[in-house]
Amino acid sequence: MSDIQNHLEVVQQRIANACKQVHRNRDSVKLLLATKTVAPNRIQEAFKIGYTLIGENKVQEVKEKFDALRSTPHELHFIGHLQTNKVRDVLKFGVNCIQSLDRISLAEKLHQRLVSENKTMTVLIQVNTSGEPSKFGVAPLDAVSFVEQVSSYATLKIRGLMTIALFSAEIEKVRLCFRLLKSLQNQISRLNLPGVEMEELSMGMSHDFETAIEEGATIVRVGTAVFGSRIYPDSYYWNEQTSADHGSL
Ligand SMILES: *Cc1c(COP(=O)(O)O)cnc(C)c1O
């Protein structure tokens, strides 16, 4: 068995155990593979054993992997900071969902392109539940009004919320981030906004996805636990200062 297959079995078991803890159905949690820096042949390996939901952080990587992955049907979510000048490429290179919608200028730009291409896009709203200034996302206090504003763009299908929790060894602090996202989901659901559905909560990564599942995650985004550690620090992908695309890896 390959290392990827081994790791996937371990992750599956962890997901199943977490679901059991809180009496959730295993089917209520989707496993998204975070494939940043992972080469297409390794992603194809995961596809072959049935894992076809992936997430990329950079438009440049989406473009580079497009040809090598297109032979296998799969679902591609964008989970990184999206610059408005990359919107055209996101639509061109097969992204099925943008999980990181976090500003009106981006919603506006997406809407314009989608209208002109006669398309729609599924989106999740990224919320900065940790309050760390280095992380992207709408402030929790602004989340409800942000969703209301975005819901006026008919091309954008809001399907839920996404967050990157606090990085901390203190799991109860991490849990508060997940709980906050869940409470925002409930709050927004109650508004019954036209065209807005709140079925997805994308939260939890390699080191904290069990807690996220306990708090209601429907999508967990797992990279390291499946593909091993990356050479680039995550700050390269997440921090304001370094988030500009630096070209190919
Ligand atoms: C890299 C990444 C993940 C996965 O992180 P791991 O710790 O490798 O599991 C999840 N979400 C986002 C937004 C990421 O950039």
Side-chain angles (χ1 to χ4, degrees):
M1 221 194 301
S2 75
D3 62 329
I4 290 175
Q5 193 167 0
N6 268 319
H7 294 163
L8 279 165
E9 286 189 7
V10 173
V11 168
Q12 278 296 356
Q13 196 54 56
R14 286 175 57 190
I15 294 174
N17 289 344
C19 286
K20 209 180 226 171
Q21 281 296 324
V22 289
H23 310 287
R24 289 186 59 186
N25 194 323
R26 170 63 189 86
D27 297 343
S28 67
V29 180
K30 291 187 272 284
L31 171 58
L32 175 146
L33 303 182
T35 49
K36 56 176 180 266
T37 76
V38 178
N41 64 313
R42 307 215 344 123
I43 301 172
Q44 283 283 6
E45 233 184 279
F47 284 174
K48 265 186 215 106
I49 46 180
Y51 295 88
T52 54
L53 174 60
I54 62 170
E56 286 286 352
N57 288 67
K58 287 189 174 284
V59 175
Q60 185 61 33
E61 273 191 67
V62 170
K63 280 162 96 169
E64 283 170 10
K65 297 175 191 178
F66 182 71
D67 278 325
L69 297 182
R70 65 192 302 185
S71 59
T72 311
H74 63 279
E75 188 172 333
L76 172 59
H77 290 199
F78 195 78
I79 61 175
H81 179 64
L82 181 56
Q83 294 169 284
T84 45
N85 64 1
K86 300 280 162 66
V87 159
R88 197 187 282 250
D89 283 340
V90 158
L91 302 188
K92 188 168 163 193
F93 291 95
V95 169
N96 304 101
C97 171
I98 296 168
Q99 292 202 3
S100 46
L101 184 57
D102 65 352
R103 37 199 216 288
I104 290 299
S105 57
L106 178 59
E108 175 69 39
K109 189 68 189 237
L110 271 167
H111 178 67
Q112 286 170 4
R113 276 306 319 164
L114 287 162
V115 166
S116 72
E117 297 186 20
N118 199 18
K119 287 181 182 168
T120 62
M121 178 63 78
T122 301
V123 299
L124 306 185
I125 307 303
Q126 182 172 358
V127 181
N128 182 357
T129 55
S130 72
E132 293 168 288
S134 64
K135 300 240 176 88
F136 294 108
V138 181
L141 283 173
D142 299 334
V144 174
S145 71
F146 184 77
V147 170
E148 280 171 337
Q149 278 177 275
V150 173
S151 71
S152 67
Y153 296 104
T155 57
L156 301 176
K157 307 293 177 195
I158 304 175
R159 290 296 173 263
L161 306 175
M162 180 272 235
T163 200
I164 299 172
L166 184 74
F167 275 106
S168 169
E170 294 175 71
I171 198 68
E172 292 313 311
K173 286 189 182 166
V174 177
R175 186 183 298 279
L176 291 179
C177 296
F178 299 142
R179 214 166 261 181
L180 176 54
L181 200 70
K182 179 72 195 180
S183 93
L184 289 170
Q185 178 197 37
N186 289 337
Q187 231 175 295
I188 295 164
S189 292
R190 280 197 294 271
L191 298 176
N192 280 320
L193 297 168
V196 175
E197 281 162 33
M198 276 286 126
E199 72 256 25
E200 303 292 2
L201 272 192
S202 175
M203 58 189 195
M205 305 173 17
S206 290
H207 59 286
D208 59 15
F209 69 72
E210 284 98 336
T211 310
I213 290 170
E214 288 164 20
E215 298 302 329
T218 65
I219 301 174
V220 292
R221 310 178 307 265
V222 180
T224 315
V226 172
F227 299 109
S229 53
R230 295 175 289 268
I231 53 166
Y232 285 86
D234 283 335
S235 59
Y236 174 76
Y237 286 91
W238 293 341
N239 286 359
E240 189 84 53
Q241 300 85 345
T242 54
S243 69
D245 272 9
H246 292 270
S248 55
L249 288 165

